[in-house]
Amino acid sequence: GLPNRQYFWQTLEHKIRRQDPLYLLYLDVQHFKRINELYGHSAGDHILIQAAKRIKDFTAEQDFVARIGADEFAIIRLCNNSNDEKYNKQSCEKFADALLNAFIQPLYTNKQQGCTLAINIGIAHYPNHALQAESLVKNADIALGEARLPENPSRKFFSSALQKNVEEKLELETQLRKAITDGNFDIYLQPILDLNTESVVKAEALLRWQVRDEVFVSPDVFIPLAERTGLIVPLGKWVIRQVCELLADFRKSNLNIKLSINLSPKQVTDRYLFDFISSTVKQLGVDAKKLELELTESVLLEDYDKATHLLSEFRKMGVTIAIDDFGTGYSSLSYLKHLPIDHLKIDRSFVVDLDKDEDDKAIVLSIIAMAKQLHLSVIAEGVENKRQRDFLKQNDCASAQGFFYSKPMPVNEFSTFIDAYKTA
């Protein structure tokens, strides 16, 4: 029941020709594809009609609303007072926030199945952000892209800083693609120690990207970028291959160490992941028991059935499974007793103040006690001092990693570290 994309363009161009100051709002419905998958396309259409009505209910008579894509809408909102930019922006902010709040209430399918669908909003202003319709739409779309990044529904205004940020991300993406093709990464290893024997039993493989001498791109920057662009799949395969080659080298050197790899959500949903790991292990003659996979709770719960099947297949190979950042994810713990899991890794946020925060102590003790009952081993991340180490050891935490023992190090330093550690 809304104007289409073509009519939207005609209207926008008309208002710009008249030089009417306006805000262009681009909206998209989060995860709408899931509605079609879960309930069917007729239910999805019913939801979209309700979404359109809800948007219309919040717009003024002079506002123009259109549906411009499958789950995307646009609003052309004229400025009430063309001489007061601050007032106009505040008015637009209030309007956008009201729209965000409007979608907190569920929408219902034609069979009265409730769905909570949040929206994101990108906003651009004419004439401040662009003088042509095409540029204005592009800038609103850029703002919408940034609004999609946080977990929670959000709205973003276009700005020159935002434009620069997007251009830098595109440049970084180009560099990342080339680095993956050329294999310009390094594997660093952080030792994990058995707290009873104080011996190095395994190490976590971590990826480092050095773009030039002494200049590294943080994993906190390039891993989310790789995830968003789908580059995490080829990058993940590169890591898996490198780690398996390391395990083959360790076997030749009689180094009895297990290596763990982090898996991202997109890797877990890659249908070729199991075959790739299985064939790589066989090709390089690696003992699968020396390989460990780390997944976060959110990855497991995103597609529970698929995760259960995948992890079961890995366990049949002999690969062990660890839940990374445990305690920071979902509140439902029922998956712990059903999924094939070997270890829980206590998130560093609970360890950093362990020696002085009673709440963190209580959480850590609870995790250790629960893991014992479920016959799971516990690894503590982020151990940075002797007091933390002693507390964990006294309370039967199995293993630990952190700067107290070692920072992540290049592979060529790892064997030296183990020898020196044994001597010490």
Side-chain angles (χ1 to χ4, degrees), residues 173-185 209 211 235 238:
E173 181 184 337
T174 302
Q175 292 179 27
L176 182 59
R177 288 181 186 278
K178 187 175 188 308
I180 293 171
T181 302
D182 298 342
N184 290 340
F185 295 93
W209 180 19
V211 288
L235 182 57
W238 185 88

Side-chain angles (χ1 to χ4, degrees), residues 34-44 47 109-111 113-115:
R34 292 181 186 174
I35 299 301
N36 286 333
E37 291 171 348
L38 287 171
Y39 305 115
H41 287 271
S42 62
I47 289 286
T109 68
N110 45 355
K111 294 183 179 178
Q113 295 154 310
C115 311

Side-chain angles (χ1 to χ4, degrees), residues 89 122-125 128-130 135-136 138-143 156-164 166:
K89 185 174 182 182
I123 309 168
H125 179 270
N128 289 351
H129 297 150
S135 300
L136 190 68
K138 182 188 72 134
N139 291 343
D141 201 33
I142 286 172
K156 285 278 185 185
F157 281 83
F158 177 81
S159 66
S160 55
L162 193 63
Q163 172 75 40
K164 185 180 178 185
V166 169

Side-chain angles (χ1 to χ4, degrees), residues 21-145:
L22 60 86
Y23 278 101
L24 173 61
L25 292 83
Y26 253 37
L27 292 72
D28 76 343
V29 181
Q30 287 184 1
H31 311 306
F32 177 73
K33 184 182 175 187
R34 292 181 186 174
I35 299 301
N36 286 333
E37 291 171 348
L38 287 171
Y39 305 115
H41 287 271
S42 62
D45 290 346
H46 195 78
I47 289 286
L48 278 179
I49 291 168
Q50 287 185 69
K53 184 178 183 304
R54 194 166 289 185
I55 293 168
K56 283 286 286 181
D57 288 344
F58 273 81
T59 53
E61 189 176 344
Q62 68 269 24
D63 294 336
F64 178 87
V65 184
R67 181 187 178 216
I68 56 171
D71 57 358
E72 293 185 337
F73 300 88
I75 301 171
I76 301 173
R77 187 173 175 83
L78 295 177
C79 295
N80 293 326
N81 187 339
S82 58
N83 297 321
D84 191 338
E85 288 188 17
K86 185 177 180 182
Y87 170 81
N88 286 326
K89 185 174 182 182
Q90 288 175 343
S91 175
C92 189
E93 285 173 343
K94 288 179 181 178
F95 172 68
D97 289 339
L99 268 178
L100 292 175
N101 291 329
F103 279 83
I104 292 174
Q105 298 301 319
L107 300 167
Y108 291 90
T109 68
N110 45 355
K111 294 183 179 178
Q112 294 303 301
Q113 295 154 310
C115 311
T116 302
L117 289 177
I119 60 170
N120 297 305
I121 306 174
I123 309 168
H125 179 270
Y126 167 82
N128 289 351
H129 297 150
L131 296 174
Q132 304 294 327
E134 189 173 349
S135 300
L136 190 68
V137 167
K138 182 188 72 134
N139 291 343
D141 201 33
I142 286 172
L144 178 59

Side-chain angles (χ1 to χ4, degrees), residues 263-265 268 293-308 310-311 321-324 326 330 335-336 339-341 343-344:
L263 291 183
S264 78
V268 174
L293 301 177
E294 295 187 15
L295 305 90
T296 61
E297 296 169 83
S298 58
V299 173
L300 295 173
L301 295 179
E302 191 154 312
D303 193 335
Y304 181 85
D305 292 336
K306 184 167 186 175
T308 303
L310 182 66
L311 298 189
I321 309 296
I323 304 301
D324 197 16
F326 185 76
Y330 290 75
Y335 72 90
L336 287 178
L339 281 171
I341 298 167
H343 312 285
L344 300 180

Side-chain angles (χ1 to χ4, degrees), residues 274 278 282 287-289 308-321 340 342:
F274 177 79
S278 178
K282 288 176 184 174
D287 181 359
K289 293 178 182 178
T308 303
H309 175 74
L310 182 66
L311 298 189
S312 297
E313 292 300 303
F314 280 126
R315 283 287 293 277
K316 288 176 189 174
M317 281 177 57
V319 175
T320 53
I321 309 296
D342 301 283

Side-chain angles (χ1 to χ4, degrees), residues 176-275:
L176 182 59
R177 288 181 186 278
K178 187 175 188 308
I180 293 171
T181 302
D182 298 342
N184 290 340
F185 295 93
D186 293 300
I187 298 293
Y188 275 47
L189 300 176
Q190 185 171 35
I192 300 173
L193 286 87
D194 183 310
L195 284 172
N196 287 321
T197 63
E198 288 289 314
S199 59
V200 180
V201 289
K202 57 186 167 184
E204 181 177 357
L206 299 164
L207 195 59
R208 296 293 181 263
W209 180 19
Q210 186 173 351
V211 288
R212 53 186 181 275
D213 290 346
E214 304 299 320
V215 178
F216 289 82
V217 179
S218 168
D220 292 338
V221 173
F222 74 81
I223 294 295
L225 176 61
E227 186 75 26
R228 286 197 304 275
T229 55
L231 293 173
I232 196 69
V233 173
L235 182 57
K237 286 182 177 179
W238 185 88
V239 173
I240 291 163
R241 177 81 189 187
Q242 294 297 309
V243 167
C244 287
E245 288 181 359
L246 278 176
L247 286 172
D249 291 342
F250 286 174
R251 179 174 52 81
K252 292 173 187 174
S253 305
N254 294 318
L255 192 56
N256 188 29
I257 294 291
K258 178 180 285 196
L259 294 180
S260 66
I261 304 171
N262 292 282
L263 291 183
S264 78
K266 277 197 170 61
Q267 284 177 280
V268 174
T269 56
D270 176 18
R271 60 179 176 165
Y272 301 111
L273 176 69
F274 177 79
D275 290 341

